[in-house]
Every structure is written in C-alpha cells, then in structure tokens.
Amino acid sequence: MLNIDGKVVIGDKALKQKNCIDLANEWYKKYKLPFVFALFCCNKKNQKYKKLINEFLKTKQKVPYSIIKKEAQKIGISPKEAKEYLDKIIYYKIGWREKKALKLFWKKANS
C-alpha cells in the first residue's frame, strides 16, 4: 500500500535498534497521549484476579541490579539505559489519559 519496507520490532530487540521509529513516541507527538502496550483484562466478578492486580499495583516492582546488568549486556545496552527504561518508561497504572488513549486507538483501529 505505501511501498515501504519495514518491520515491527518489540522487546529486547527493540531496545538496541538505532535506526527506527518509536511508535509510542510518534503516538505521543501526534495525540499527546501515552501509548498503552498491554492491558490485563478479566471478569469483574473474579475477586482473585482483582486482588492480585491491586497487590501488584501497590508494590513497587524491583529488579535486582545484577539481573539488570546481565540482561543489559545480553542485548547490548548499558545497565544505566536498562534501569532508566524500567524506572521511567514502563509503568502499570491505567489513569484517565491511558483510558482516553485506548479509546482513541480503538476508534482508529475500527475506522
């Protein structure tokens, strides 16, 4: 359709890409909203999952530095970059801005 060659790269491989377009960054520049990559969904009546999610959100997720260092080395980035990614880029709460972004994405995906 656009006569452009490309591929989508996610996960560890994406962290070490230099010549690429960051979809989350492009989304933010265009709509001034965060890009939601994943969402945990379950039946509202299932209290077991609700409790699990609430406990997860209350607890700061910590990754030991030794693991950060080892995994960063595997994918070719510095431990500082990996820690910054984990501490500042990834977050888990879905607020009003994330909900608005999801609605907009859904609308665009279905148009």
Side-chain angles (χ1 to χ4, degrees), residues 16-61:
K16 59 184 175 180
Q17 294 292 314
K18 300 300 179 205
N19 185 21
C20 64
I21 297 170
D22 181 334
L23 293 176
N25 191 39
E26 294 302 312
W27 176 268
Y28 184 81
K29 285 193 305 192
K30 187 166 185 171
Y31 302 110
K32 301 296 185 240
L33 292 168
F35 191 87
V36 179
F37 286 92
L39 189 63
F40 184 92
C41 301
C42 65
N43 186 315
K44 284 183 181 182
K45 294 178 183 177
N46 193 325
Q47 292 302 311
K48 178 174 71 173
Y49 289 123
K50 187 174 182 177
K51 183 179 176 185
L52 176 72
I53 292 166
N54 287 334
E55 287 301 315
F56 178 82
L57 292 174
K58 281 194 260 180
T59 308
K60 178 165 174 33
Q61 304 307 309

